[in-house]
Amino acid sequence: MNYRILRTLHVYSSVVVLALVLFFAVTGITLNHRDWFTDRGSAVEEFLPVPDTIMQATDWQARPLDGADALRRWLTDQHGLTGGTVIYDWDTDEQMLLIDIKRPGGYSSVEFSPFSAEVTVFHQRNGLVAVMNDLHMGRYSGIWWRLLLDITALIMLVFIVTGLWLVVPQKKRRRTLFKVAAAGTGVLAAGYWIALLP
């Protein structure tokens, strides 16, 4: 491939992913040293009256999960309750709908009894560092963030492959650069092996 094209691809791919690579570098440290950060976030519990439209959305006794999404949408629209992962569960013994909503850096638990026409919502927010750590792992972050991570990974592959390809024609420096690359790979492999030891 043309050297100029490779160099252009290498430079622009690095610029495109610059911010995300910096983000992953910083959050790699925060993930590795969670004990450095003391922000435990905040917990809030609230009790909300459920409107008649939600109460009449389904036969709560016969088909409780049919109305679960309507309840969640109402909580999202009227009370800003959002999250990347939503799990519904009907507790038959307690006759209660449970909704677990997870998002980066926190979660909300919803309990709704059709007999009381009231919903209890517990919010846990764990602070900015927890949000960044969850985004680093792609946890509870939704399809668009995961898509962005995939695109970033592909662009980083372009950056790495074009960088390696640019080294090949450099006869004077090629051997040294390949030795350094081999040493880095060896350190990574050794670290991985040591981490797996009992």
Side-chain angles (χ1 to χ4, degrees), residues 162-185:
T162 54
L164 189 60
W165 204 260
L166 287 169
V167 169
V168 172
Q170 299 181 25
K171 293 181 180 178
K172 291 182 179 178
R173 299 171 57 194
R174 180 171 50 202
R175 182 173 292 179
T176 303
L177 292 170
F178 280 149
K179 284 180 181 177
V180 172
T185 303

Side-chain angles (χ1 to χ4, degrees), residues 42-100:
S42 62
V44 176
E45 188 174 44
E46 56 183 338
F47 304 93
L48 305 169
V50 178
D52 290 339
T53 53
I54 302 300
M55 296 301 297
Q56 297 163 6
T58 187
D59 181 348
W60 287 101
Q61 296 301 312
R63 298 185 305 278
L65 293 178
D66 288 356
D69 200 49
L71 178 64
R72 184 193 59 78
R73 282 198 310 272
W74 170 73
L75 287 168
T76 298
D77 295 341
Q78 300 300 316
H79 300 282
L81 187 60
T82 58
T85 302
V86 180
I87 300 169
Y88 301 111
D89 188 32
W90 175 257
D91 187 325
T92 307
D93 296 333
E94 297 288 332
Q95 291 290 290
M96 185 173 292
L97 174 68
L98 307 171
I99 306 176
D100 190 23

Side-chain angles (χ1 to χ4, degrees), residues 121-182:
V121 185
F122 175 80
H123 304 283
Q124 177 66 45
R125 295 178 179 89
N126 294 325
L128 179 61
V129 173
V131 172
M132 294 193 317
N133 288 346
D134 281 350
L135 288 174
H136 179 105
M137 296 182 288
R139 184 196 287 175
Y140 315 131
S141 52
I143 188 169
W144 293 110
W145 180 259
R146 290 197 299 270
L147 181 62
L148 179 63
L149 294 183
D150 290 341
I151 292 169
T152 302
L154 290 172
I155 295 172
M156 287 174 69
L157 281 173
V158 170
F159 171 70
I160 292 164
V161 170
T162 54
L164 189 60
W165 204 260
L166 287 169
V167 169
V168 172
Q170 299 181 25
K171 293 181 180 178
K172 291 182 179 178
R173 299 171 57 194
R174 180 171 50 202
R175 182 173 292 179
T176 303
L177 292 170
F178 280 149
K179 284 180 181 177
V180 172

Side-chain angles (χ1 to χ4, degrees), residues 24 31 42 188:
F24 284 117
L31 273 169
S42 62
L188 177 65

